[in-house]
Amino acid sequence: MALADRFLALGRDAHSGEVLARGGDPEAHSILQRTGFVTVVRLHETYHRLPIDLDAAEKERLATRAVARLRAVSYHVDADDAFDTKTREAHDQPLGSQIAHLAERIREATTSDEVADALTELTASHDGVLIALGDVLTATAAF
């Protein structure tokens, strides 16, 4: 990963007043998305912005939270004074990354027991990934 990808700018656009985040790598983009930012893809640029229908207090709260989350995992964030914070918010590994880690465990396994242990995370009847995914799909259908 390029060192430049560990730098982001997060602030209010001088022309539109929108709260924008520029820079970063896929991990930073994931953190921004999970904090409420929307991805904007242009021909030569991808950046993130907060939804325009939020009130000023909510925009400040989300932008400050994004700064705290990004800095907690060692990103350098050049933030507007209104969003700057010394707080560092814990960043849990996203579920997709945890599942991908199971594939890595299987690739590195040297015995069938190690593979079975990894697969049990997916198939456990009480709290496995497949059961939970079924619950998500059922809840979505009910919605």
Side-chain angles (χ1 to χ4, degrees):
M1 164 187 1
L3 183 58
D5 290 339
R6 301 299 293 184
F7 288 82
L8 291 97
L10 196 151
R12 201 171 288 281
D13 183 72
H15 302 289
S16 68
E18 289 183 289
V19 177
L20 305 177
R22 287 190 158 86
D25 58 9
E27 180 186 12
H29 297 189
S30 176
I31 291 169
L32 288 166
Q33 182 180 12
R34 284 175 166 78
T35 308
F37 281 74
V38 178
T39 305
V40 178
V41 179
R42 300 287 165 93
L43 183 59
H44 298 290
E45 173 183 37
T46 298
Y47 62 94
H48 296 80
R49 69 170 175 77
L50 284 176
I52 56 176
D53 60 343
L54 301 175
D55 64 37
E58 182 66 359
K59 287 181 182 179
E60 184 171 331
R61 185 187 74 78
L62 291 175
T64 303
R65 187 172 194 197
V67 170
R69 286 179 167 184
L70 289 162
R71 288 183 177 161
V73 289
S74 301
Y75 284 94
H76 172 78
V77 183
D78 181 21
D80 283 5
D81 289 343
F83 312 136
D84 207 2
T85 181
K86 299 284 186 210
T87 302
R88 301 296 180 261
E89 186 175 322
H91 173 67
D92 295 325
Q93 188 180 28
L95 181 58
S97 294
Q98 293 176 41
I99 303 256
H101 179 69
L102 290 176
E104 189 62 30
R105 282 178 51 193
I106 291 170
R107 282 187 207 96
E108 293 174 354
T110 58
T111 68
S112 57
D113 284 343
E114 291 173 343
V115 173
D117 287 345
L119 290 174
T120 298
E121 292 296 322
L122 294 173
T123 61
S125 61
H126 173 68
D127 59 357
V129 173
L130 295 178
I131 292 294
L133 183 57
D135 289 344
V136 168
L137 295 174
T138 300
T140 303
F143 176 77

